[in-house]
């Protein structure tokens, strides 16, 4: 157990006197850093998660991740409700037997008290480490372990929060066990039987900091699990919102169960802001309004203290800087870090009780300021600090137990170091088990003492490892490591159950057969003995970064009809998305596969016109931001790419297609009558008919087809006019006319209906041969090659008289004949490709021979 530097550690009188009488003294020596060496930061990050397994409480621990831990304090499942009364008791204890289930959760430190404050801080920090460093846990091969620990903590926070029928908080069992009684007992948790009372928070006796810290931890967990387990995430959000509201409505600083250990201050606004930020990221709340300036987050509600269990302002700034990119948050982190001694290469900045966790908190600030640049001074400074913690110091100790070759062994942890006699910690024994991944307080400016009852150096806690996770994830994100090292170590470490599966993979069973042949010399007889051994081999899985794929477009942009000159409006898109996470076994098996998350909906997506393309007739392509240059006609908006949503997920669109039509500008006519006078605005496409050409550009001698739709019978009553006296219109059907005889230049065809509505279409008529331009769009590109091959492979559809509106024309065939031979062949398409690749410099290809 440990406190802020401003708070003193207190033991019961009996425990204190026993320690004083039997302490074995170790010398204090100053610790300086040795030259930094490369460390495996993936291994350190993955290892640190085992600390939470070392401090797990309740059922389901036996045969879990650690071989030396087992179910403990299972009698918390029938804890006494105690002095809780009134309406709260009827909700907490509906059957009236005076008992309530508060089993599970995590022990706080080397002791066995359960504080919702530090459990909330612990999982809040784990979630923050993942958010600030996307994909780093996947790269380190331990994302499934991270999720396991987050859910273990979140399950307990929700279990100990009791809601009424309206979903509001009625009571919170925020501390389980009396600290003084617990500290007087030095036994492993598996054999403890002492009474463990509950300390309650209610509307009339509340602690707002505790409630808001719990809310932050639950909302952070929801963010990490929002895609893979959306139902669980939604439950976490429900409880987080209820706890936040409870803390805000019933403001208090109740210290029952916390005093002498985690005495909170009256101000709770930092935990409140942290919870609000997570809920905003989860789209379950508004964006927080607090923006800091020079160590002031509003109303002087900050005293400059480093990120820790009782002050999370700097974590809030780091999160908001990542989420918004607003410079004010980065400026604040820099100001605060400088006021706390700053970080530099060559100097280890750590002091106070549990110094290593404070150093890790400062690393968080530095890594945020480095902003992804591993060559930045702040990145190098943070790396230097982490290397010191991992063993690059004059003692050679790694203060992350189990990492490297040497670490402290006189550990203040009752489960790992239960002692050799009744005196427990005072006998100062070497630990019975290595608590892999436990960060101990380590050295400070005064040095280091490897002594069990010097808990400021040799104890670890949930908040220590929470800070370490943030720092190590950031360093690992910048400098990497080997993801196979921790699985390999787990196979060799007696304390770790390497066969335990955090995810869904299972062990591969291997069979070894040994055959022994014995020969008897007398009669030359042979005896054969075959031994078959079957054993499970551990499977270690590396989970890759999750991909998000659009499964279905639920709604397309509402705007699909444009007037000439308008820009694209691609808002209002809604899609159904599913995550796809690839995994690969790296040892003990050779399988791989994909883990699919539950589908979820993203509403109101707006695509940037600059990232899409627009397809027109004959394979013509425009960039999306050129929509205002389109002529009347039908087009297709196309997008194959990624869209980054508000949660920084890259959503993959594949074959997104949206049809649009571009119309002529509106015509306004004014009709005057005696009574009344009205003004009628009529659009060219009207409401009664539409008219279109099969193409907007042809060559001299080609034919174009004019088609009437939506009220085509009006043709017999209307008038067609045109501005080229050579043009001729041949009626093909009741609704189509064939236009021939156009000269080079432009032709404008106007139809006026009896109602006065009009429609105009225009043609551009080219002349001459443009070699390579098979689709007659005045460009030579790959679409010409495609049309040539289509016309050869499927002449009925794309040939000279093909049924498709983009079929090749006579002018197109003339342009396509680039080898000047009779007829168009695949060889012409090949020459055009060579021309586009600049393998040949001109078209047509001269005839040789």
């Amino acid at each position: 157990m440990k406190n802020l530097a401003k708070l003193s550690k207190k033991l019961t009188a009996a425990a204190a006197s026993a320690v004083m009488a039997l302490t074995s003294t170790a010398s204090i020596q100053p610790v300086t850093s040795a030259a930094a060496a490369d460390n495996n930061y993936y291994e350190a990050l993955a290892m640190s998660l085992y600390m939470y397994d070392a401090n797990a409480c309740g059922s389901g621990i036996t045969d879990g991740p650690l071989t030396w831990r087992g179910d403990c304090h299972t009698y918390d499942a029938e804890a006494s409700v105690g002095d809780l009364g009134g309406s709260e008791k009827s909700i907490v204890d509906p059957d009236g037997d005076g008992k309530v289930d508060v089993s599970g959760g995590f022990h706080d430190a080397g002791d066995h008290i359960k504080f919702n404050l530090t459990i909330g801080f612990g999982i809040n920090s784990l979630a923050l480490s993942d958010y600030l460093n996307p994909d780093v846990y996947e790269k380190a091969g331990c994302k499934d372990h991270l999720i396991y620990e987050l859910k273990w903590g979140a399950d307990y926070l929700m279990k100990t929060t009791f809601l009424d029928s309206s979903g509001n908080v009625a009571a919170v069992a925020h501390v389980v066990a009396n600290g003084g009684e617990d500290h007087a007992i030095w036994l492993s948790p598996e054999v403890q039987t002492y009474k463990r009372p509950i300390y309650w928070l209610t509307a009339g006796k509340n602690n707002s900091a505790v409630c808001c810290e719990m809310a932050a931890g639950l909302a952070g967990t929801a963010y990490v699990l929002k895609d893979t387990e959306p139902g669980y995430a939604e439950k976490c959000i429900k409880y987080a919102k209820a706890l936040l509201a409870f803390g805000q409505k019933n403001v208090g600083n109740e210290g029952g169960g916390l005093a002498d250990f985690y005495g909170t201050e009256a101000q709770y606004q930092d935990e409140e802001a942290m919870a609000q930020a997570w809920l905003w990221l989860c789209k379950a709340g508004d964006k927080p309004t607090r923006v800091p300036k020079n160590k002031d987050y509003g109303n002087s509600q900050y005293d400059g203290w480093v990120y820790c269990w009782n002050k999370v302002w700097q974590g809030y700034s780091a999160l908001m800087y990542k989420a918004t990119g607003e410079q004010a948050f980065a400026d604040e982190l820099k100001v605060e870090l400088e006021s706390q001694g700053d970080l530099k290469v060559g100097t280890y900045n750590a002091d106070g009780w549990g110094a290593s966790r404070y150093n890790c908190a400062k690393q968080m600030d530095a890594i945020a300021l480095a902003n992804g640049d591993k060559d930045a001074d702040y990145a190098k400074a943070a790396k230097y600090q982490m290397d010191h913690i991992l063993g690059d110091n004059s003692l050679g100790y790694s203060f992350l137990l189990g990492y490297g070759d040497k670490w402290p062994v006189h550990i203040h942890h009752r489960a790992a170091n239960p002692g050799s006699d009744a005196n427990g910690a005072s006998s100062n024994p070497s630990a019975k088990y290595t608590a892999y991944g436990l960060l101990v307080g380590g050295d400070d400016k005064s040095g280091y003492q490897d002594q069990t009852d010097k808990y400021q150096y040799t104890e670890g806690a949930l908040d220590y490892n929470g800070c370490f996770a943030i720092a190590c994830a950031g360093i690992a994100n910048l400098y990497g490591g080997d993801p196979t090292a921790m699985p390999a170590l787990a196979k060799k470490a007696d304390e770790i159950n390497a066969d335990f599966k955090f995810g869904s993979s299972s062990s591969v069973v291997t069979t070894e057969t040994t055959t022994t042949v014995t020969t008897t010399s007398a009669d030359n007889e042979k005896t054969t003995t075959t031994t078959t051994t079957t054993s499970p081999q551990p499977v270690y899985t590396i989970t890759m970064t999750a991909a998000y794929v659009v499964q279905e477009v639920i709604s397309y942009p509402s705007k699909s009809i444009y007037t000439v000159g308008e820009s694209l409006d691609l808002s209002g898109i809604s899609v159904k998305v599913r995550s796809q996470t690839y995994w690969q076994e790296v040892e003990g098996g050779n399988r791989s596969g994909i883990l699919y998350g539950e589908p979820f909906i993203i509403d109101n997506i707006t695509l940037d016109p600059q990232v899409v393309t627009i397809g027109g007739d004959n394979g013509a392509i425009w960039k999306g931001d050129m929509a205002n240059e389109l002529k009347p006609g039908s087009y297709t908006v196309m997008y194959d790419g990624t869209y980054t949503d508000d949660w920084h997920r890259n959503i993959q669109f594949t074959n997104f297609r949206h049809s649009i039509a571009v119309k002529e500008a509106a015509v306004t006519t004014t009709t005057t009558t005696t009574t009344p006078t009205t003004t009628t605005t009529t659009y060219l496409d009207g409401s009664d008919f539409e008219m279109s050409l099969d193409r907007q550009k042809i060559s001299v001698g080609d034919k174009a087809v004019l088609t009437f739709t939506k009220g085509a019978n009006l043709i017999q009553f209307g008038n067609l006019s045109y501005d080229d006296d050579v043009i001729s219109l041949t009626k093909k059907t009741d609704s189509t006319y064939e236009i021939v005889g156009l000269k080079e230049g432009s032709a404008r065809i106007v139809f006026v209906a009896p109602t006065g509505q009009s429609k105009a279409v225009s043609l551009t008529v080219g002349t001459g041969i443009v070699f390579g331009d098979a689709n007659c769009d005045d460009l030579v590109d790959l679409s010409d090659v495609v049309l040539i091959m289509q016309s050869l492979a499927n002449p009925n559809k794309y040939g000279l008289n093909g049924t498709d509106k983009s079929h090749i024309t006579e002018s197109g065939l003339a342009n396509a004949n680039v080898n000047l031979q009779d007829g168009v062949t695949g060889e012409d398409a090949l020459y055009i490709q060579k021309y586009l690749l600049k393998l040949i410099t001109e078209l047509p290809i001269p005839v040789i021979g």
Side-chain angles (χ1 to χ4, degrees):
M1 181 63 56
K2 72 278 158 259
N3 287 330
L4 284 170
K6 294 179 287 186
L7 303 175
S8 62
K9 173 83 173 186
K10 296 183 180 179
L11 297 175
T12 62
S17 61
V19 171
M20 292 298 294
L22 296 169
T23 294
S24 60
T25 304
S27 62
I28 298 177
Q29 54 181 313
V31 181
T32 58
S33 294
D38 289 337
N39 280 288
N40 188 343
Y41 304 110
Y42 286 167
E43 179 186 11
L45 182 63
M47 185 183 294
S48 72
L49 294 173
Y50 283 102
M51 177 271 173
Y52 297 90
D53 302 305
N55 277 44
C57 182
S59 301
I61 301 172
T62 303
D63 297 325
L66 299 178
T67 59
W68 55 281
R69 283 300 324 278
D71 295 351
C72 68
H73 302 127
T74 55
Y75 55 92
D76 284 350
E78 295 184 334
S80 171
V81 173
D83 60 0
L84 185 68
S87 60
E88 295 91 355
K89 184 174 182 180
S90 65
I91 294 170
V92 169
D93 181 23
D95 61 5
D97 67 353
K99 298 178 181 179
V100 63
D101 183 0
V102 291
S103 60
F106 295 111
H107 300 143
D108 174 63
D111 48 38
H112 303 134
I113 316 165
K114 296 188 292 192
F115 295 97
N116 282 14
L117 178 66
T118 56
I119 293 174
F121 178 86
I123 64 173
N124 171 36
S125 299
L126 284 178
L128 186 59
S129 72
D130 183 63
Y131 175 72
L132 295 177
N133 305 282
D135 306 329
V136 71
Y137 283 95
E138 288 90 342
K139 294 174 185 175
C142 58
K143 183 63 176 284
D144 49 358
H145 195 171
L146 170 71
I147 292 172
Y148 179 86
E149 305 304 349
L150 284 172
K151 291 180 69 175
W152 190 281
D155 283 344
Y156 180 75
L157 293 183
M158 291 187 284
K159 184 177 192 176
T160 53
T161 301
F162 296 86
L163 305 181
D164 62 21
S165 58
S166 299
N168 299 316
V169 174
V172 179
H174 79 118
V175 178
V176 175
N178 176 276
E181 184 176 357
D182 174 270
H183 277 207
I185 302 170
W186 193 277
L187 292 172
S188 64
E190 288 81 3
V191 299
Q192 288 180 345
T193 58
Y194 70 98
K195 183 179 179 182
R196 293 165 60 83
I198 298 173
Y199 295 84
W200 294 98
L201 299 179
T202 61
K205 193 175 64 172
N206 196 23
N207 188 303
S208 296
V210 173
C211 293
C212 292
E213 190 66 76
M214 292 171 65
L218 288 169
T221 299
Y223 183 87
V224 175
L225 295 173
K226 64 186 182 300
D227 299 329
T228 55
E229 298 184 54
Y232 188 87
E234 192 62 35
K235 181 181 178 183
C236 288
I237 289 173
K238 172 186 174 181
Y239 276 83
K241 293 174 72 173
L243 283 160
L244 176 61
F246 187 69
Q248 292 171 322
K249 180 180 179 180
N250 306 291
V251 176
N253 188 34
E254 164 62 26
L258 294 174
D260 301 331
F261 302 104
Y262 292 101
T264 55
E265 297 177 355
Q267 292 181 356
Y268 63 92
Q269 287 79 6
D270 50 334
E271 291 90 355
E272 175 190 46
M274 194 86 202
Q276 290 171 330
W278 277 123
L279 288 170
W280 169 59
L281 288 175
C282 290
K283 298 185 179 297
D286 296 329
K287 180 181 177 182
T289 58
R290 291 180 181 270
V291 179
K293 185 176 181 180
N294 196 25
K295 294 190 286 187
D296 186 358
Y297 287 79
N299 301 319
S300 299
Q301 289 172 341
Y302 182 49
D303 60 4
W305 196 257
V306 68
Y307 176 77
C308 69
W309 58 267
N310 193 36
K311 279 291 185 293
V312 297
W313 281 125
Q314 288 179 309
Y316 168 75
S317 281
L319 183 149
M320 292 298 290
Y321 181 45
K322 177 74 173 181
T324 67
E326 295 175 17
Q327 188 61 34
F329 292 106
D331 293 343
E332 183 62 26
L333 289 172
K334 191 172 191 302
V335 167
E336 295 180 20
L337 181 56
E338 289 175 346
S339 71
Q340 293 158 6
D342 216 344
L343 292 188
K344 295 181 175 62
V345 173
T347 303
Y348 181 59
N349 179 355
D351 201 14
W353 192 302
S356 62
R357 48 87 182 259
Y358 291 139
N359 178 271
C360 287
K362 295 169 188 176
Q363 289 184 51
M364 173 187 71
D365 297 352
I367 294 164
L369 292 168
N371 201 21
D373 180 5
K374 69 178 182 179
D375 295 320
D377 289 342
Y378 266 131
K380 294 177 181 177
K383 180 180 183 295
Y384 177 87
Q385 313 297 313
M386 180 57 68
D387 287 338
H388 178 104
I389 290 173
L390 295 179
D392 293 335
N393 52 66
S394 61
L395 287 176
Y397 277 147
S398 165
F399 296 113
L400 184 76
L401 303 189
Y403 182 87
D405 300 321
K406 181 182 177 183
W407 50 84
V409 294
H410 300 109
I411 303 304
H412 191 89
H413 193 278
R414 290 161 175 79
N417 189 8
S420 58
D421 56 39
N423 296 316
S426 61
S427 63
N428 197 30
S430 297
K432 183 176 182 180
Y433 308 105
T434 296
Y436 281 90
L438 174 71
L439 178 72
V440 295
D443 61 310
D444 60 15
K445 292 179 181 178
S446 66
Y448 176 75
Q449 296 184 63
D450 187 21
Q451 187 171 323
T452 307
D453 60 353
K454 298 294 183 180
Y455 25 75
Q456 63 267 45
Y457 304 113
T458 59
E459 189 176 20
L462 295 175
D463 64 306
Y464 290 29
N465 269 70
C467 292
F468 180 85
I470 298 173
C472 191
I475 297 296
N477 200 34
L478 291 173
Y479 300 103
D482 178 5
T484 66
M486 187 61 227
L489 175 61
K491 291 169 60 177
K492 301 175 183 177
D494 292 337
E495 288 89 345
I496 297 177
N497 180 4
D499 291 331
F500 185 80
K501 304 303 163 205
F502 296 102
S504 59
S505 59
S506 58
S507 297
V508 174
V509 176
T510 60
T511 300
E512 296 182 359
T513 301
T514 303
T515 301
T516 303
V517 179
T518 303
T519 302
T520 303
S521 57
D523 50 11
N524 203 30
E525 291 183 355
K526 294 182 179 180
T527 302
T528 302
T529 303
T530 301
T531 304
T532 301
T533 304
T534 301
S535 60
Q537 297 297 313
V539 177
Y540 300 105
T541 302
I542 293 181
T543 306
M544 310 304 176
T545 302
Y548 301 94
V549 178
V550 173
Q551 282 188 300
E552 177 186 351
V553 178
I554 298 173
S555 64
Y556 287 85
S558 56
K559 188 172 180 61
S560 58
I561 298 178
Y562 292 81
T563 301
V564 170
E566 282 191 284
S567 299
L568 282 180
D569 178 1
L570 301 178
S571 61
I573 302 171
S574 296
V575 294
K576 181 185 289 186
V577 178
R578 183 172 67 176
S579 64
Q580 299 181 357
T581 306
Y582 292 84
W583 60 272
Q584 174 69 54
E585 293 176 352
V586 293
E587 288 188 53
N590 57 4
R591 300 177 302 164
S592 62
I594 304 175
L595 300 176
Y596 294 100
E598 289 292 326
F600 57 94
I601 305 297
I602 301 180
D603 291 318
N604 296 320
I605 288 175
T606 299
L607 292 179
D608 185 345
Q610 295 187 46
V611 304
V612 305
T613 55
I614 304 173
D617 292 339
N618 300 322
I621 298 292
W622 293 266
K623 293 181 179 179
D625 54 4
M626 297 171 63
N628 58 349
E629 301 177 17
L630 297 176
K631 294 181 178 180
S634 298
Y635 301 90
T636 302
V637 176
M638 301 174 288
Y639 185 55
D640 294 272
T642 57
Y643 166 83
T644 303
D645 70 357
D646 294 339
W647 286 350
H648 306 288
R649 296 173 298 194
N650 293 323
I651 311 300
Q652 180 66 49
F653 281 81
T654 303
N655 200 33
F656 175 85
R657 301 293 182 265
H658 172 52
S659 298
I660 63 171
V662 179
K663 307 295 182 182
E664 289 281 9
V667 174
T668 302
T669 60
T670 303
T671 303
T672 304
T673 60
T674 303
T675 306
T677 300
T678 60
T679 300
T680 304
T681 300
T682 305
Y683 294 92
L684 293 178
D685 62 345
S687 59
D688 297 320
F689 74 96
E690 290 182 358
M691 182 174 78
S692 62
L693 283 169
D694 64 337
R695 64 198 65 202
Q696 275 71 54
K697 183 180 291 185
I698 63 174
S699 298
V700 171
D702 281 347
K703 301 174 184 178
V705 176
L706 180 68
T707 302
F708 288 85
T709 58
K710 193 181 176 184
N713 61 319
L714 290 177
I715 187 66
Q716 58 184 302
F717 304 110
N719 301 300
L720 281 169
S721 63
Y722 39 88
D723 53 8
D724 191 325
D725 58 6
V726 183
I727 194 172
S728 65
L729 298 174
T730 303
K731 185 175 182 179
K732 297 184 67 175
T733 68
D734 287 341
S735 59
T736 59
Y737 281 73
E738 189 174 76
I739 306 173
V740 296
L742 295 174
K743 295 181 179 180
E744 181 182 3
S746 299
R748 188 168 184 270
I749 303 159
V750 180
F751 173 77
V752 182
T755 59
Q757 294 171 315
S758 63
K759 173 75 176 182
V761 290
S762 299
L763 276 171
T764 301
V765 185
T767 186
I769 295 177
V770 181
F771 283 107
D773 185 18
N775 59 15
C776 299
D777 64 352
D778 293 336
L779 297 172
V780 179
D781 54 26
L782 193 59
S783 64
D784 299 302
V785 177
V786 172
L787 181 58
I788 293 171
M789 299 306 294
Q790 287 177 325
S791 68
L792 296 173
N794 191 354
N796 291 333
K797 186 174 182 180
Y798 296 103
L800 182 59
N801 297 308
T803 58
D804 192 273
K805 65 179 183 179
S806 62
H807 69 83
I808 201 164
T809 64
E810 291 181 358
S811 296
L813 287 172
N815 293 344
N817 188 20
V818 297
N819 65 0
L820 303 180
Q821 302 292 331
D822 290 336
V824 175
T825 67
E827 191 173 48
D828 295 291
L830 178 61
Y831 280 127
I832 296 173
Q833 290 184 74
K834 289 183 177 180
Y835 173 73
L836 294 173
L837 294 171
K838 298 183 180 181
L839 299 176
I840 57 177
T841 58
E842 61 179 352
L843 294 174
I845 303 301
V847 178
I848 301 176

